[in-house]
Amino acid sequence: MCTYPYEDLHDYIDGCLPADRINEIGEHISKCPDCRQYYHSQVLVSQYLKQEVSSSIDVRHAVMLRIDKERYPVKGNPSIMRAVGKCTVTFARPVVLMVSLAVLVLILSYFIRYDPFSKTANHWSQATSSAESEPAFSHDSEHFSFYSNEQNQQVFSELTALFEANYQRIARDLDTALPWKVTVKIWQDEKTFYDAIGRKSENKGVMSGRKGSAIHVLQPPGGAGGWEATLGAAELTHIMIAEINPLNNVLWVHDSIELYEAVRFDRETVTEGLADYVQRGDVPDLDKLMGHYEAVPFGEVILPTLPEFVLDTFGPEKLKGIIKDPMNPEKVLGLSLKDFSRSWLDYLEKSYQVRFIK
Amino acid sequence: MKVNDKALVRCILNGSPDAFTDLIQCYQKRLYSFLCKLTPCREDAEEMLQDVFIRVYRYLGKYDEARDFSTWIFKICVNVFKDYYRKQKKRPASCQAPYEEMAAIQDSPEISYEEKEDYLSVIRLINALKPDQKIAILLKQLHGLTYQEIAVILKISPANAKMKVSRARQFIGLELERQKRRRIG
């Protein structure tokens, strides 16, 4: 049995020896059968430990459902923090990526204005969390878990029908399904509801809100009935967009789909808005709409025609593609931005019976 | 601490829980590999992995930025692993899950019988190591941590950490030699 010190062999394995010692020990291993066998056993150990685990794993959903998302209250603007984080991540990569980053920044400045979630997140930070107590009764449907302080079966049934119908529509349009049940908390008391969604109670008329991945709704006085057909649709839309691409923070994508799915526009209003363009001899500008729609005439009115156009012309898969890759709608649709704009205007003319003076 | 870790931690602490999904994405594969080598039971490994991230989120406010984040998260992972089996009052080896790696080796026609036997013996010997020795050698050889980092994770001195890795290597090397001799003789 060779008496060569194990420590030297281990240092040789760890690669923490000067070059002359490495050569010396390497030479000894090549000549000594005992040490060669010992070294071989360590190679096998290394091989086994470094062997990749065959099954892949993703615990993001499971973990996010189990954590208290309000543990760390919002400080400053989360969208900016997030953007800083992302930029830092990108800068940490090799220099070769710097060129592509510069291009990305140009595109970002073109498309992004703010993180749609930051608006609500800042409101939520004002919430007095002490007011929110866990509702006592629950009811499960296929895609939702409802919670309420009242055991009112009619309310549960009505909301189940309403939410499931919205779910079917939005899931079909976005070509996606949530692998978990969405929590819906039903509040009877206005103050508690506003506290739960982090809004001030003077915001009368708000009947639903989102906090994290939970939807909160305010029960109309008198119990059941009186629900808006699109109750919770906007919140559900954002949850599904986040499910498809949690990093998507492009305003026009979020808001256009929210407006489209929440049916806050009607075709008559869109037609009126487009007629105004015709009267002024103007044409809707896709670039401006994607960049800063609130500054565009009738921007909020015509914005939902973008997902409508994509769905009618290309189908849900492409809309999902844009959510996944919001920086490259041209790539997703296989069109240049100019052709995208032209096709969209043609669609508006045909669909809304208007004729722009181009 | 890597720059991206630091940025993500700040985002989470500034009230952006969505940044936590990015953090999970960064570490879940490494931690899962680590846990799968620590325990042959995949279900246990997955459950522990979830517990690790839940604990990371809970204690993130107490994390000291001056310290290495990777070491901190592995420390939590090791604690979760130890607590898991302490609570269940069983040893990882008592879990009778199939050893996928062993099955893959046994089915491989291009490896000689002797090589297969050696490799399978090494897997068995690694799984027979004392928990701290196993953790130490995994952190050293799977994740390339320094003895200083292993010492922090196991709450021991760097010299002690080096000794644990050394003992684990010796146990495997000498035991494999003994088994080979028995096989031949």
Side-chain angles (χ1 to χ4, degrees):
Chain A
M1 185 74 188
C2 180
T3 55
Y4 207 86
Y6 287 120
E7 286 318 302
D8 286 358
L9 294 173
H10 296 160
D11 285 344
Y12 177 79
I13 292 162
D14 290 340
C16 58
L17 289 170
D20 56 332
R21 291 283 292 137
I22 289 175
N23 291 339
E24 183 196 325
I25 296 170
E27 204 174 318
H28 173 78
I29 289 172
S30 66
K31 288 177 187 164
C32 171
D34 286 341
C35 289
R36 198 162 56 245
Q37 169 57 37
Y38 186 87
Y39 179 71
H40 176 64
S41 72
Q42 303 309 316
V43 171
L44 291 179
V45 169
S46 190
Q47 266 178 17
Y48 168 68
L49 294 182
K50 286 179 180 167
Q51 189 185 324
E52 292 236 340
V53 177
S54 54
S55 53
S56 62
I57 184 101
D58 194 340
V59 295
R60 281 177 295 178
H61 270 306
V63 171
M64 292 308 281
L65 286 175
R66 290 174 63 189
I67 62 168
D68 169 20
K69 295 185 184 66
E70 291 143 48
R71 186 175 184 85
Y72 304 109
V74 177
K75 292 174 197 164
N77 187 335
S79 65
I80 292 171
M81 291 309 298
R82 180 96 180 180
V84 168
K86 292 287 158 203
C87 287
T88 318
V89 169
T90 313
F91 274 109
R93 291 178 183 158
V95 181
V96 182
L97 290 175
M98 292 293 279
V99 178
S100 49
L101 177 68
V103 176
L104 191 67
V105 167
L106 278 174
I107 299 169
L108 276 170
S109 63
Y110 181 77
F111 285 117
I112 296 180
R113 189 166 58 84
Y114 78 125
D115 178 352
F117 294 127
S118 67
K119 188 164 58 180
T120 40
N122 279 326
H123 281 303
W124 293 336
S125 69
Q126 296 157 9
T128 50
S129 56
S130 58
E132 188 183 332
S133 56
E134 285 302 309
F137 302 100
S138 66
H139 169 81
D140 268 16
S141 70
E142 191 182 352
H143 301 103
F144 299 91
S145 294
F146 297 91
Y147 297 90
S148 173
N149 280 320
E150 281 183 8
Q151 178 63 298
N152 187 331
Q153 201 50 48
Q154 198 184 339
V155 167
F156 283 141
S157 302
E158 286 177 359
L159 285 181
T160 296
L162 197 151
F163 271 75
E164 287 293 344
N166 282 335
Y167 181 97
Q168 295 302 333
R169 178 170 49 82
I170 300 167
R172 184 194 59 226
D173 287 350
L174 304 190
D175 188 29
T176 197
L178 297 174
W180 38 276
K181 289 189 182 189
V182 178
T183 295
V184 180
K185 292 187 179 178
I186 307 158
W187 302 100
Q188 288 76 35
D189 166 53
E190 259 190 27
K191 187 185 178 307
T192 323
F193 165 71
Y194 284 118
D195 282 347
I197 61 169
R199 289 198 181 195
K200 292 184 176 173
S201 53
E202 54 263 32
N203 288 321
K204 295 284 180 191
V206 175
M207 300 300 284
S208 64
R210 185 173 69 90
K211 199 167 189 183
S213 55
I215 299 174
H216 296 259
V217 298
L218 178 61
Q219 190 173 305
W227 308 101
E228 277 183 17
T230 54
L231 184 78
E235 290 79 11
L236 187 58
T237 302
H238 288 302
I239 291 170
M240 285 205 181
I241 291 173
E243 169 63 19
I244 295 167
N245 180 2
L247 302 179
N248 184 331
N249 57 2
V250 176
L251 177 71
W252 75 266
V253 174
H254 273 271
D255 283 12
S256 67
I257 299 174
E258 180 199 323
L259 288 166
Y260 179 75
E261 294 299 346
V263 200
R264 288 181 197 163
F265 79 110
D266 58 82
R267 295 185 62 82
E268 206 179 334
T269 314
V270 177
T271 310
E272 278 173 22
L274 294 175
D276 184 75
Y277 277 88
V278 176
Q279 271 182 6
R280 284 185 284 112
D282 203 357
V283 179
D285 188 329
L286 183 69
D287 289 16
K288 286 182 183 168
L289 199 65
M290 285 174 163
H292 189 23
Y293 75 84
E294 284 165 333
V296 173
F298 293 96
E300 195 168 313
V301 171
I302 59 173
L303 188 68
T305 63
L306 285 176
E308 185 189 36
F309 160 66
V310 173
L311 281 170
D312 285 356
T313 314
F314 301 94
E317 203 181 309
K318 294 292 181 187
L319 187 59
K320 188 180 183 180
I322 290 174
I323 295 169
K324 277 185 182 170
D325 192 3
M327 294 299 132
N328 298 301
E330 313 96 298
K331 188 181 156 193
V332 174
L333 300 178
L335 292 172
S336 67
L337 204 60
K338 199 174 171 186
D339 288 343
F340 181 10
S341 175
R342 195 180 297 132
S343 303
W344 171 60
L345 291 173
D346 289 344
Y347 171 83
L348 291 179
E349 286 189 334
K350 273 184 204 159
S351 186
Y352 290 93
Q353 306 289 308
V354 287
R355 171 83 42 202
F356 300 117
I357 302 158
K358 294 173 194 166
Chain B
M1 184 178 194
K2 287 178 193 167
V3 182
N4 51 351
D5 290 341
K6 204 172 191 172
L8 285 173
V9 169
R10 282 183 187 164
C11 277
I12 299 160
L13 295 177
N14 280 315
S16 175
D18 287 349
F20 192 55
T21 58
D22 297 354
L23 193 79
I24 298 173
Q25 174 79 352
C26 285
Y27 278 95
Q28 62 179 353
K29 199 176 170 191
R30 282 176 75 192
L31 293 174
Y32 185 59
S33 300
F34 178 66
L35 288 166
C36 282
K37 299 293 180 193
L38 277 179
T39 170
C41 184
R42 292 285 154 89
E43 287 80 5
D44 285 359
E46 187 172 344
E47 204 177 324
M48 279 186 259
L49 184 65
Q50 287 189 31
D51 289 347
V52 170
F53 285 117
I54 286 161
R55 213 179 278 194
V56 165
Y57 188 79
R58 190 179 302 153
Y59 295 110
L60 204 59
K62 292 180 180 175
Y63 165 69
D64 177 6
E65 259 193 25
R67 293 187 171 192
D68 183 73
F69 185 77
S70 170
T71 307
W72 186 73
I73 203 168
F74 269 105
K75 192 173 177 177
I76 289 180
C77 189
V78 166
N79 289 341
V80 166
F81 168 76
K82 287 179 176 176
D83 289 351
Y84 189 86
Y85 287 108
R86 197 180 299 139
K87 274 182 203 163
Q88 304 212 359
K89 292 180 181 167
K90 64 175 183 177
R91 270 178 67 95
S94 68
C95 189
Q96 295 301 313
Y99 285 43
E100 287 176 26
E101 292 90 341
M102 292 174 97
I105 289 292
Q106 275 166 336
D107 294 339
S108 180
E110 60 275 320
I111 304 172
S112 72
Y113 173 79
E114 197 178 342
E115 279 284 306
K116 278 180 192 174
E117 281 304 303
D118 283 355
Y119 196 74
L120 294 176
S121 295
V122 163
I123 295 175
R124 286 189 204 101
L125 290 169
I126 290 172
N127 283 305
L129 287 171
K130 289 176 184 171
D132 268 6
Q133 288 182 359
K134 195 171 172 183
I135 291 166
I137 197 170
L138 263 167
L139 291 171
K140 184 70 197 164
Q141 292 202 216
L142 179 60
H143 297 292
L145 299 195
T146 63
Y147 291 116
Q148 178 68 44
E149 288 167 330
I150 297 169
V152 171
I153 291 168
L154 291 177
K155 297 175 199 163
I156 53 178
S157 68
N160 203 346
K162 189 172 182 181
M163 195 189 69
K164 281 188 190 294
V165 174
S166 185
R167 288 260 169 88
R169 282 170 171 167
Q170 276 187 51
F171 168 77
I172 294 164
L174 297 177
E175 194 58 35
L176 183 69
E177 198 183 335
R178 206 171 296 139
Q179 288 183 9
K180 274 175 82 105
R181 247 186 271 126
R182 210 178 302 144
R183 236 185 283 150
I184 296 162

